[in-house]
Amino acid sequence: MTKIFEKTSVSLIASTESETLPASPDMQTIGAALLTAALLLPGVVKAETPPEHASLSLKYLNYEEKQAGLKRITANSPSLSLITPLGADWSMDATLTSDDVSGASPRYHTAISGASRMNDQRTAGDVAFTRYFPRASLTVGAAYSTEHDYESRALSATGNFSSEDKNTTWTVGLGGSHDRINPTNLIVKNETKKTISIMAGVTQILTAEDIAQLTLSHSRGEGYFSDPYKALDRRPRERNQTTLLARWNHHFLGTGGTGRFSYRYYSDTYDVKAHTLTAEYVQPFSQGWTITPSLRVYSQSAASFYFDPVYDAQLGAPFPPGYQFASTQPSSADQRLSGFGALTVGFKLSKQLTSDWTVDIKLENYEQRGSWRLFHKGSPGLAALKAQSIQLGISKQW
């Protein structure tokens, strides 16, 4: 039953919508993404024994983001992952990633100028060690990310405890991150951001074909959350976030495939509320082939201090109506904090070449519009945003 859930990687080019293709690279959220990845590193259902084989995987991701006929962002990201047993009671899981990001990042809303061109290189790594017990496991992990203007460190610990019949597994986690920000425009110097996160969940085997999980996580952050490269971007120095995630996987005996369904509710003290519905179907075929189509629907409300692209009659763009100079009130024209809906369609094809080698390719297409929101007021006046990604992978176990 432990194979029903597939480990999900967390994009290190993260946005408020952390489970989809990002609205655009937001280096201010990398620390939170690393922390989330570290907390989830042991997987959804943790076995009470180390993996039987070591596995080495090489992935390459290409991501392109477009808006109003303009190619905004291009990212190329190779990564290398290793999972290996360490003796009878231990295992190690480590990943090394390098991101090359280039393009035009909007100064405010969807406005782009030649001066907004950027090119950045980021290197990130994480490692986790797991100790196994008869009906439990304990994982401790660390993550580190660095680029020319941002540095992030994270630590985490996660424990899994199973019932005597092993049909129920409880999970608790604790993590913390510390980020340092030094933008090239010198708006701030040696600013920091600290985040503490806790997580609790339960996984229940319902039948021979069904498994369900409920996870609640909460994080408290303080420090510098503003985007130093965007005009008039001034955000509160505290941000608390709560996420509720429900998953249900069902194995279809008639086809041999597995459906994976999830609902995620997110809210924070910026007044952003988001809903994510995800469905994917994993269908194996003969000769080692597997296909996995997926669909993700997302909707979020705007932050309380976000302002739509309507500008002051005298001052013009990018100043909001009634803008007062030297004001300390929070404000932002960042599209990622607007109210919008998004749709992601994906397809993954994998092939087991031999008992040791596996290759795969994954395609995703993402589109975001203010008018597509489902439960909240959308943000008018923003150009639709589209993105495509392709990921190639090869794995070897021994």
Side-chain angles (χ1 to χ4, degrees):
M1 296 296 292
T2 59
K3 292 185 178 180
I4 292 181
F5 278 123
E6 180 183 60
K7 178 183 173 182
T8 304
S9 63
V10 178
S11 172
L12 296 179
I13 305 175
S15 67
T16 303
E17 186 183 359
S18 61
E19 293 190 6
T20 74
L21 289 173
S24 61
D26 184 359
M27 300 311 174
Q28 303 288 20
T29 60
I30 284 179
L34 285 170
L35 180 58
T36 303
L39 285 174
L40 296 179
L41 196 57
V44 178
V45 181
K46 192 66 178 178
E48 283 75 36
T49 58
E52 295 181 1
H53 304 281
S55 176
L56 184 66
S57 300
L58 176 64
K59 300 283 188 180
Y60 175 78
L61 172 69
N62 173 262
Y63 169 86
E64 291 188 355
E65 182 179 293
K66 300 177 181 179
Q67 194 168 35
L70 175 69
K71 183 184 291 188
R72 268 182 42 175
I73 295 293
T74 299
N76 294 287
S77 178
S79 65
L80 188 66
S81 299
L82 173 66
I83 301 175
T84 182
L86 301 175
D89 300 319
W90 291 83
S91 70
M92 182 186 73
D93 193 332
T95 301
L96 181 64
T97 303
S98 177
D99 295 325
D100 182 13
V101 183
S102 62
S105 183
R107 296 170 297 159
Y108 55 90
H109 293 118
T110 57
I112 290 180
S113 72
S116 67
R117 302 299 300 181
M118 62 94 174
N119 194 301
D120 202 2
Q121 183 74 35
R122 185 185 64 87
T123 302
D126 60 74
V127 62
F129 294 92
T130 301
R131 173 68 162 91
Y132 300 86
F133 304 93
R135 296 207 329 256
S137 64
L138 176 64
T139 300
V140 292
Y144 178 75
S145 173
T146 182
E147 54 204 277
H148 75 282
D149 59 356
Y150 202 95
E151 184 180 50
S152 180
R153 295 178 172 87
L155 297 173
S156 67
T158 308
N160 292 276
F161 313 90
S162 297
S163 60
E164 188 172 355
D165 61 7
K166 298 186 178 181
N167 284 335
T168 306
T169 300
W170 295 273
T171 303
V172 293
L174 174 66
S177 68
H178 184 278
D179 303 344
R180 187 171 298 277
I181 305 103
N182 283 286
T184 56
N185 57 15
L186 303 180
I187 294 295
V188 295
K189 184 178 181 181
N190 284 328
E191 270 284 8
T192 61
K193 180 175 65 176
K194 299 177 182 179
T195 304
I196 297 294
S197 296
I198 57 174
M199 179 265 289
V202 59
T203 303
Q204 179 68 48
I205 296 178
L206 304 174
T207 70
E209 291 80 38
D210 296 274
I211 185 170
Q213 182 193 65
L214 188 66
T215 303
L216 179 65
S217 60
H218 180 75
S219 66
R220 301 179 66 88
E222 61 178 23
Y224 188 75
F225 288 89
S226 303
D227 189 331
Y229 300 112
K230 283 185 168 57
L232 307 182
D233 196 275
R234 185 170 50 249
R235 309 182 191 186
R237 293 186 66 87
E238 293 185 359
R239 189 178 192 181
N240 300 331
Q241 303 165 292
T242 300
T243 302
L244 178 66
L245 175 64
R247 287 175 171 175
W248 169 53
N249 289 358
H250 176 75
H251 182 69
F252 296 90
L253 295 177
T255 63
T258 299
R260 298 173 176 148
F261 312 94
S262 69
Y263 167 74
R264 174 182 178 265
Y265 175 75
Y266 167 91
S267 67
D268 63 25
T269 50
Y270 285 4
D271 207 27
V272 175
K273 296 177 175 60
H275 307 264
T276 308
L277 291 169
T278 304
E280 64 178 20
Y281 179 72
V282 184
Q283 179 61 59
F285 290 95
S286 59
Q287 298 182 339
W289 290 97
T290 301
I291 63 169
T292 307
S294 61
L295 177 67
R296 185 182 298 111
V297 180
Y298 179 84
S299 179
Q300 79 168 41
S301 63
S304 58
F305 52 86
Y306 169 82
F307 63 93
D308 284 316
V310 177
Y311 305 113
D312 188 271
Q314 283 75 40
L315 300 175
F319 301 98
Y323 178 78
Q324 298 292 324
F325 286 94
S327 172
T328 59
Q329 292 297 314
S331 66
S332 179
D334 192 330
Q335 182 172 348
R336 290 162 296 191
L337 295 176
S338 67
F340 65 86
L343 186 67
T344 305
V345 179
F347 183 83
K348 181 180 179 180
L349 177 67
S350 65
K351 165 67 172 176
Q352 187 165 349
L353 302 176
T354 68
S355 59
D356 298 332
W357 289 92
T358 303
V359 295
D360 62 78
I361 180 172
K362 184 177 182 179
L363 308 173
E364 282 194 329
N365 185 80
Y366 170 90
E367 185 164 352
Q368 170 187 315
R369 296 175 181 264
S371 60
W372 283 2
R373 85 284 184 195
L374 298 177
F375 306 104
H376 310 286
K377 180 182 177 182
S379 299
L382 296 176
L385 186 148
K386 299 180 180 181
Q388 296 82 37
S389 73
I390 178 171
Q391 180 177 269
L392 304 174
I394 183 169
S395 301
K396 169 73 165 67
Q397 74 170 20
W398 64 93

